[in-house]
Amino acid sequence: MLALGLALPASPAAADSFTPVRLTIGIASSTNVGASLPAPVTVTVSADPGVLDGSEGPLRIEVKLADECGADFATTPGTTLLNAQLDPQPTTGKAYTATARGSGRPTASATETVCAFLEDSDVGRVYANDESDQVDVGPAVPSGGGGSTSGGGGSKSGSGGSKPGAPRRTVSRRCTAAIHTYNGAAKALARAERQLRHTKRRAARRRLQRTIAADRRTEKRDRTRARAACGSRVKL
């Protein structure tokens, strides 16, 4: 679901010649895979007078949760949280402020970057981008064990098990911390392996190979610790 609301124009005191287009992002710092409430995001776009006058097509505000941000929205792989056309479009020569809201469901536990882009939808020009925020996506929260029953007859509510809105078991803080540590180790290993693929110098390759060997040991250790902390019901 997406909603777009127009806010009041920014006052002259808010203008900033060093950053003529600004993206202000509001998002929770953590969520879970498959959370019953999708991760919401709010982005406020503000621009100094005339800065957005050169657009050839409608301007869009776009946000993804990703391992790494690409050069634009299309080249950033990840979970889409927001992809909305600004409405109304900026007025020539005027300051501009608008707020857009969206949501999405992360599919893997990791520490993800919030990749936001303000783009011209016709020519793909990026007027502004932001990747300063991160979200810790924890593992999926397991459903309750089904031990409780309704009334004295012992039957579950409905044919699907627990009824909607029933409490869900939470993942322990120890498990969540172990998952995040493991994800960090896995990212470091993947980053070093990418660097090795693009490195030609022999000495640099030897250094990277030593780094990769150490990173593999760390990743294996952290995965073992995460499995011990979380058990087999939590997907790594």
Side-chain angles (χ1 to χ4, degrees), residues 146-208:
S148 61
T149 56
S150 175
S155 60
K156 296 180 181 178
S157 174
S159 60
S162 59
K163 57 186 175 182
R168 297 167 66 88
R169 287 178 52 187
T170 58
V171 176
S172 70
R173 291 183 180 179
R174 177 169 171 256
C175 170
T176 300
I179 286 284
H180 290 158
T181 299
Y182 165 67
N183 286 334
K187 281 187 176 182
L189 174 59
R191 186 163 50 246
E193 289 175 336
R194 284 196 302 269
Q195 289 174 343
L196 181 63
R197 289 196 295 270
H198 295 92
T199 299
K200 304 300 182 184
R201 292 185 178 180
R202 188 173 300 174
R205 288 182 64 84
R206 283 199 296 267
R207 286 195 298 271
L208 280 170

Side-chain angles (χ1 to χ4, degrees), residues 81-196:
L81 299 183
L82 174 62
N83 185 359
Q85 180 174 306
L86 293 178
D87 183 18
Q89 292 290 293
T91 301
T92 302
K94 302 292 186 179
Y96 185 78
T97 302
T99 298
R101 298 176 180 85
S103 62
R105 295 181 184 274
T107 58
S109 58
T111 300
E112 299 276 66
T113 299
V114 181
C115 306
F117 303 92
L118 177 65
E119 295 188 16
D120 184 315
S121 58
D122 277 6
V123 298
R125 175 182 175 184
V126 177
Y127 279 90
N129 70 291
D130 189 291
E131 51 185 271
S132 59
D133 292 292
Q134 290 189 318
V135 175
D136 288 332
V137 182
V141 180
S143 300
S148 61
T149 56
S150 175
S155 60
K156 296 180 181 178
S157 174
S159 60
S162 59
K163 57 186 175 182
R168 297 167 66 88
R169 287 178 52 187
T170 58
V171 176
S172 70
R173 291 183 180 179
R174 177 169 171 256
C175 170
T176 300
I179 286 284
H180 290 158
T181 299
Y182 165 67
N183 286 334
K187 281 187 176 182
L189 174 59
R191 186 163 50 246
E193 289 175 336
R194 284 196 302 269
Q195 289 174 343
L196 181 63

Side-chain angles (χ1 to χ4, degrees), residues 4 23 43 45 59-63 82-84 86 100 117-118:
L4 188 64
L23 304 180
V43 181
V45 180
L59 295 182
R60 301 188 71 84
I61 183 66
E62 304 155 328
V63 182
L82 174 62
N83 185 359
L86 293 178
F117 303 92
L118 177 65

Side-chain angles (χ1 to χ4, degrees), residues 17-119:
S17 59
F18 293 102
T19 52
V21 183
R22 298 163 292 280
L23 304 180
T24 303
I25 300 172
I27 191 168
S29 60
S30 62
T31 187
N32 289 86
V33 172
S36 57
L37 292 177
V41 62
T42 301
V43 181
T44 297
V45 180
S46 55
D48 294 347
V51 174
L52 302 177
D53 289 357
S55 61
E56 297 187 25
L59 295 182
R60 301 188 71 84
I61 183 66
E62 304 155 328
V63 182
K64 282 183 180 177
L65 276 184
D67 182 41
E68 293 182 88
C69 299
D72 55 22
F73 183 73
T75 59
T76 299
T79 300
T80 297
L81 299 183
L82 174 62
N83 185 359
Q85 180 174 306
L86 293 178
D87 183 18
Q89 292 290 293
T91 301
T92 302
K94 302 292 186 179
Y96 185 78
T97 302
T99 298
R101 298 176 180 85
S103 62
R105 295 181 184 274
T107 58
S109 58
T111 300
E112 299 276 66
T113 299
V114 181
C115 306
F117 303 92
L118 177 65
E119 295 188 16

